[in-house]
Amino acid sequence: MDSPLNSEIESFFDSAPPLNDRAAISQKLKEFIALNSSESGTRRVACVTSGGTTVPLEQRCVRYIDNFSSGHRGAASTEHLIKMGYAVIFLYRRGTCEPYCSSLPDDAFLECFEVTEESAVQGSSRRPSVEASLYNYIRMLQMIAVSSRSLGPCSMFYLAAAVSDFYVPWKSMAEHKIQSGSGPLDMQLLQVPKMLSVLRKEWAPMAFCISFKLETDAEILLEKADMARKKYGMHAVVANELLSRKEQVVVVTNNGKIPVYRDKTSSDSDVEKPLTKLLVDRHSVYIKDSNT
Ligand code: PAZ
């Protein structure tokens, strides 16, 4: 845990509060990975990240920096990956879209129930609850990556969440609510260390990793996506532009840029269906190559 990459991450976490429910989450992860690994063959497991992270401005947080992500991409992709046989760990921000819920009302009513072994429905008390802050997101991603190492190339990371690029270090963050009335707020935000490198190189070096690149300026999108692919060693980077993201994306790989479109002849189609199909095919090739 003392490589330069990891020490950058450790200093990011410096004195930040620990993850709530860490033990319960770790236990669930262990059980999930064990369930999907067997002597007769390991099932493919995807970790899909979804929704945006928040950055607190005060330790006793009243205000935070947010971002726009609705979580639609992650939720829809999860449904398609499950249909294609994947077991999915869905790391999402509560309040953003969840798989199989697009036609349900926007409330968490159904989260209050669970199905028992006898197929009866009862109130749930076991769901670990975690805030969507950047700190928690990165801690959870690290836990998932390290726990799924044993799956080798069968594990996929599909990083659709919009993760904050800048943050206020916990140590220099105001403890109490920032007071107004003394003029403009002067605050320095630091750049979040690049988790993609450490994920690829240290946390889960055998996993198939796909990151997403969003831009509002179409002119720079593909170049930035390709730069990210090379810099962080991603197997593919999905480039998307804010306004057209639900209609088309471009998958940037080491052997080309592949545009993917929503099927406009069908009103209930989404771009995530052909996108996940393409990426699953690439993952199959990756697994085959890794085993030879
Ligand atoms: O969550 P959503 O469906 O509204 O949008 C998806 C998205 C644009 C957040 C995702 O496709 C993406 O590009 N995520 C990475 C964003 C980035 O950090 O560049």
Side-chain angles (χ1 to χ4, degrees):
M1 268 292 183
D2 48 6
S3 72
L5 277 174
N6 267 319
S7 49
E8 210 188 331
I9 307 284
E10 290 313 315
S11 65
F12 167 76
F13 285 131
D14 233 5
S15 71
L19 187 63
N20 280 341
D21 285 325
R22 190 183 172 97
I25 295 167
S26 162
Q27 183 57 29
K28 279 197 160 215
L29 269 172
K30 248 191 223 151
E31 287 166 10
F32 189 80
I33 300 296
L35 191 71
N36 290 293
S37 330
S38 74
E39 279 163 23
S40 57
T42 298
R43 189 171 172 197
R44 295 190 197 182
V45 176
C47 168
V48 175
T49 71
S50 186
T53 57
T54 60
V55 169
L57 299 184
E58 297 123 342
Q59 291 183 354
R60 302 188 188 194
C61 182
V62 174
R63 304 186 185 91
Y64 55 88
I65 302 175
D66 203 351
N67 80 56
F68 76 98
S69 169
S70 68
H72 169 84
R73 174 90 77 224
S77 303
T78 295
E79 292 180 25
H80 296 302
L81 288 168
I82 289 173
K83 268 190 211 140
M84 286 184 275
Y86 281 68
V88 177
I89 299 169
F90 184 61
L91 176 56
Y92 80 112
R93 171 176 177 179
R94 188 158 290 184
T96 60
C97 301
E98 294 179 46
Y100 308 108
C101 292
S102 55
S103 53
L104 296 177
D106 278 350
D107 59 39
F109 178 67
L110 293 176
E111 287 183 7
C112 306
F113 298 97
E114 66 184 20
V115 180
T116 65
E117 272 171 20
E118 298 78 38
S119 288
V121 173
Q122 67 176 27
S124 167
S125 55
R126 292 183 319 196
R127 197 177 159 111
S129 110
V130 178
E131 292 302 314
S133 87
L134 175 67
Y135 290 110
N136 287 342
Y137 170 84
I138 293 173
R139 284 199 156 114
M140 301 258 304
L141 184 64
Q142 180 182 27
M143 283 173 78
I144 296 167
V146 172
S147 313
S148 58
R149 251 188 221 155
S150 59
L151 301 167
C154 289
S155 123
M156 173 199 273
F157 282 81
Y158 185 95
L159 305 166
V163 181
S164 325
D165 287 322
F166 301 100
Y167 77 114
V168 184
W170 192 261
K171 278 196 298 197
S172 56
M173 197 185 292
E175 180 186 353
H176 294 283
K177 183 183 167 211
I178 297 167
Q179 296 299 303
S180 60
S182 40
L185 177 61
D186 188 7
M187 180 176 273
Q188 197 182 29
L189 301 177
L190 298 195
Q191 192 162 353
V192 173
K194 287 298 173 197
M195 301 302 152
L196 297 181
S197 290
V198 75
L199 170 73
R200 267 298 279 131
K201 292 195 181 128
E202 309 207 0
W203 296 345
M206 290 298 289
F208 186 71
C209 292
I210 303 144
S211 68
F212 285 69
K213 179 57 132 185
L214 175 81
E215 291 295 343
T216 53
D217 179 355
E219 297 283 304
I220 60 169
L221 176 62
L222 294 181
E223 196 191 325
K224 296 275 297 221
D226 202 38
M227 272 166 57
R229 182 187 67 74
K230 290 184 189 135
K231 188 164 175 195
Y232 306 122
M234 293 290 107
H235 298 99
V237 176
V238 181
N240 56 166
E241 201 247 310
L242 185 65
L243 296 179
S244 62
R245 72 188 192 281
K246 295 194 172 172
E247 297 298 322
Q248 65 180 75
V249 298
V250 178
V251 177
V252 179
T253 67
N254 64 347
N255 50 16
K257 298 183 174 68
I258 310 155
V260 178
Y261 301 97
R262 183 178 79 80
D263 173 6
K264 291 196 178 74
T265 60
S266 155
S267 61
D268 61 356
S269 69
D270 57 34
V271 71
E272 285 77 15
K273 186 174 181 180
L275 172 62
T276 48
K277 167 81 178 65
L278 187 144
L279 292 168
V280 165
D281 289 347
R282 295 282 166 145
H283 190 198
S284 303
V285 174
Y286 176 75
I287 294 172
K288 207 167 143 226
D289 289 352
S290 307
N291 291 332
T292 51

